[in-house]
Amino acid sequence: MIYIAPSLLSADFSTLNTEIKRVRDAGVKYLHLDVMDGAFVPNITFGPDLISCIRKCSDMFFDVHLMIKRPERYIDRFVKAGADSITVHYEACENPMSVINLIRSYEMQVGVAISPNTPVEHLYPLVEYIDLALIMTVEPGFGGQSMIPEALDKVRALKKYVSERGIQLDIEVDGGIKPENIGLVTSAGANIIVAGSAIFKAKKPRSVIQAMKESAAQNPYKG
Ligand code: DX5
Ligand code: ZN
């Protein structure tokens, strides 16, 4: 199943409730929430307090992407705020396996992300213990960048690795994805597709979401 996950980072923060409803009404289940700490990445966004506010007005699946150093310090806060899945960066954890176990202890879905310079092989020992792997297709930190095509090789390699071993894993991609290039990531094996500026900066987000779904359906992973 392919899911489009609009990233709230590119929404108009003065009307968040309306922005969220707009994508929900377009038939989207996932909402991607980018948390940045100004240390792991050179940008600061929002934290658990904002997430618990929007939790009150949305039943969407909150896919929380933590771009923060030593995320283990804050997992309980994001659980209480209403996250449905929590994804941490491999590069931000001293011991990724212990952070995975911590997130799991809350009976929460768990993901691990890798930045463009991190080899995909680092994920291999972890894939049995996580629900999703997030392959960054831009340097984390900002919306509106162009997709790095080399990241597609990592998606293909990871998809092959898990398929050969019969491991169930969602592969998420994040950064620079729009209707024109979504087919490249779905045919490479990704099934959760984050898009921020392509959706929220569009005049008609619903049409963009529809175009992305159609192109994804026309470009499936074929093994
Ligand atoms: C970047 C964030 C992304 C960002 C994507 O660090 O993780 O989720 O919002 O935005 P676009 O789709 O505009 O590249
Ligand atoms: Zn993200």
Side-chain angles (χ1 to χ4, degrees):
M1 184 82 183
I2 304 266
Y3 296 100
I4 309 291
S7 162
L8 200 64
L9 189 60
S10 293
D12 178 349
F13 275 47
S14 69
T15 58
L16 271 188
N17 198 357
T18 312
E19 292 281 80
I20 294 167
K21 286 212 166 88
R22 243 168 17 136
V23 291
R24 182 75 182 104
D25 292 347
V28 161
K29 176 184 169 197
Y30 275 67
L31 189 66
H32 185 81
L33 299 168
D34 288 302
V35 177
M36 304 187 190
D37 66 352
F40 178 66
V41 287
N43 195 7
I44 298 175
T45 56
F46 50 79
D49 291 343
L50 182 129
I51 294 175
S52 59
C53 282
I54 60 173
R55 181 77 284 175
K56 289 182 206 143
C57 66
S58 177
D59 62 355
M60 293 177 79
F61 185 96
F62 282 5
D63 165 34
V64 176
H65 177 193
L66 295 183
M67 284 159 275
I68 62 180
K69 271 191 179 165
R70 296 185 46 234
E72 64 276 9
R73 296 172 295 160
Y74 296 103
I75 300 303
D76 61 334
R77 299 273 313 273
F78 287 100
V79 171
K80 285 189 192 121
D84 290 298
S85 81
I86 296 181
T87 296
V88 295
H89 265 264
Y90 177 85
E91 307 84 6
C93 302
E94 278 164 16
N95 181 344
M97 201 56 225
S98 75
V99 184
I100 291 167
N101 287 333
L102 174 64
I103 299 171
R104 245 314 158 244
S105 72
Y106 292 100
E107 296 181 359
M108 167 109 348
Q109 290 200 28
V110 50
V112 174
I114 53 168
S115 294
N117 287 332
T118 303
V120 69
E121 289 77 15
H122 287 309
L123 288 175
Y124 293 170
L126 307 176
V127 288
E128 278 186 78
Y129 308 99
I130 60 181
D131 299 290
L132 84 89
L134 168 51
I135 309 281
M136 290 304 297
T137 41
V138 297
E139 279 301 332
F142 299 92
Q145 306 178 70
S146 299
M147 185 181 81
I148 300 170
E150 290 75 25
L152 292 174
D153 295 335
K154 292 203 252 181
V155 175
R156 279 186 211 102
L158 180 60
K159 183 68 181 175
K160 184 165 183 285
Y161 183 88
V162 294
S163 301
E164 283 174 356
R165 288 161 181 77
I167 296 168
Q168 195 60 43
L169 181 76
D170 284 321
I171 301 181
E172 182 172 40
V173 284
D174 182 4
I177 301 167
K178 46 195 173 181
E180 294 74 27
N181 62 11
I182 186 172
L184 295 174
V185 292
T186 51
S187 59
N191 72 303
I192 302 179
I193 319 298
V194 178
S197 49
I199 292 174
F200 282 108
K201 301 287 187 212
K203 281 206 179 82
K204 293 183 180 167
R206 177 188 284 270
S207 313
V208 174
I209 290 164
Q210 194 52 38
M212 292 184 83
K213 282 184 180 166
E214 280 166 19
S215 180
Q218 285 160 11
N219 293 280
Y221 175 69
K222 289 189 182 139

